[in-house]
Amino acid sequence: TGRLVCVGTGMQLGGQISVLSQSYIEIADVVYSLVTDGFSQRWLASLNDNVQSLQPFYALEGELKNRRETYRQMVDEILTQVRLGKLVVCAFYGHPGVFACVAHRAIALARSEGFEAKMLPGISAEACLWADLGIDPGTVGHQSFEATQFLLYDHIPNTCSHLLLWQIALAGEYTLTQFSTTVYKLKILVTHLNQWYPLTHPVIVYEAATLPFQQPRIESITLEQLPYTKLNAVSTLMIPPAKALSFNHQVLEQLGITAANIG
Ligand code: SAM
């Protein structure tokens, strides 16, 4: 019977995939791929003779296509092969289920039809970010939001912790048809963030290296410079804390301790 395994290839070609994920790619009847560059695509093709890219489902140059339709078509395509009784492996760059809906949807649909389906984790952009920036997200905590969702919904950032905004190059792109945002929309984001962060607050535009000879992009700018900074599809915005952690004295009292008791 058909089976579906969604794996992550990591951010960096060849080296960041788990041994388990790589072996699934090698034994799959069909591999569907969604990776960011031709090198990774060719590397996958060297592991399995039947690798098909899901990239063609994205809108062509000049075509107006909602990304919801793209994702639906991708899931359909994946399920067709599972229904044919194949071992289908989907190889997505990074982590297959982090800020990425296709693997989650394909797995849910496959399971609802009685097929065995699972996800294996991969090294995500965020995993690389903590390593490259030398930050332990546990020191003061962190929050992650998709940039447009952060704008459209009533999210309240915790300014004591790190804040990551994913898909910053699409901030405010609510139509799901464009592949970039505008200075105007980025200014709305800056004004929005300015409720909690000063305009001079340092923020980092981060891009993990995807090829072994590349260096990550770690560009430190001020919040107000964001609309005029080059942003790419792979950029993530990292906003460091603006305030020090403060004690919750009510809980300290319940515990019968004071700030002096905490090392
Ligand atoms: N599943 C991916 C992962 O595990 O990292 C994330 C996919 S999400 C649709 C795309 C967003 O991930 C980008 O807009 C960006 O925020 C982040 N991203 C992807 N590639 C990146 C890179 N090389 N460096 C930093 N962030 C990246």
Side-chain angles (χ1 to χ4, degrees):
T1 64
R3 212 153 48 107
L4 174 63
V5 185
C6 294
V7 307
T9 61
M11 303 307 296
Q12 208 170 104
L13 169 69
Q16 288 185 347
I17 189 169
S18 73
V19 176
L20 188 57
S21 294
Q22 184 167 335
S23 43
Y24 270 114
I25 291 172
E26 286 164 355
I27 64 165
D29 297 317
V30 190
V31 177
Y32 284 111
S33 66
L34 211 47
V35 291
T36 46
D37 59 87
F39 294 105
S40 304
Q41 186 62 32
R42 264 172 274 156
W43 181 74
L44 288 174
S46 75
L47 300 178
N48 188 299
D49 290 337
N50 194 6
V51 180
Q52 297 175 31
S53 172
L54 292 171
Q55 214 75 43
F57 287 110
Y58 280 110
L60 302 171
E61 188 90 38
E63 186 191 3
L64 201 66
K65 182 174 182 181
N66 192 296
R67 281 193 285 282
R68 278 199 194 98
E69 174 67 3
T70 299
Y71 301 146
R72 199 189 53 73
Q73 290 175 343
M74 289 177 177
V75 171
D76 264 7
E77 172 72 24
I78 295 164
L79 261 290
T80 307
Q81 293 295 320
V82 179
R83 292 179 194 127
L84 287 174
K86 308 270 177 67
L87 168 57
V88 180
V89 171
C90 295
F92 297 114
Y93 82 92
H95 186 305
V98 169
F99 287 83
C101 63
V102 175
H104 286 296
R105 289 186 194 172
I107 289 172
L109 186 56
R111 283 180 182 161
S112 77
E113 295 182 16
F115 297 105
E116 213 182 285
K118 68 174 171 184
M119 180 183 288
L120 298 180
I123 294 180
S124 67
E126 185 190 321
C128 297
L129 181 144
W130 304 128
D132 285 332
L133 299 187
I135 295 167
D136 178 349
T139 51
V140 288
H142 84 102
Q143 290 178 308
S144 268
F145 298 107
E146 198 278 328
T148 301
Q149 192 198 75
F150 179 75
L151 272 177
L152 300 184
Y153 294 84
D154 252 338
H155 286 298
I156 313 271
N158 175 353
T159 55
C160 297
S161 58
H162 299 281
L163 175 66
L164 300 188
L165 292 182
W166 298 63
Q167 302 206 123
I168 188 68
L170 291 176
E173 206 300 280
Y174 58 86
T175 69
L176 298 180
T177 57
Q178 306 300 307
F179 288 91
S180 58
T181 185
T182 58
V183 168
Y184 178 74
K185 287 174 181 156
L186 287 169
K187 282 184 176 171
I188 293 176
L189 176 65
V190 168
T191 306
H192 189 61
L193 284 165
N194 188 219
Q195 296 175 84
W196 305 282
Y197 300 93
L199 291 174
T200 53
H201 192 62
V203 299
I204 292 172
V205 177
Y206 173 73
E207 293 172 11
T210 53
L211 298 169
F213 51 81
Q214 279 177 350
Q215 292 298 315
R217 175 180 175 200
I218 300 172
E219 190 174 341
S220 194
I221 57 170
T222 58
L223 180 57
E224 63 193 338
Q225 287 173 322
L226 185 65
Y228 314 103
T229 304
K230 172 106 182 90
L231 297 174
N232 301 305
V234 294
S235 306
T236 297
L237 191 72
M238 147 57 195
I239 306 180
K243 277 194 337 204
L245 291 175
S246 55
F247 286 108
N248 181 328
H249 290 287
Q250 203 183 340
V251 173
L252 293 195
E253 203 175 296
Q254 285 164 10
L255 291 170
I257 54 176
T258 67
N261 295 107
I262 297 163

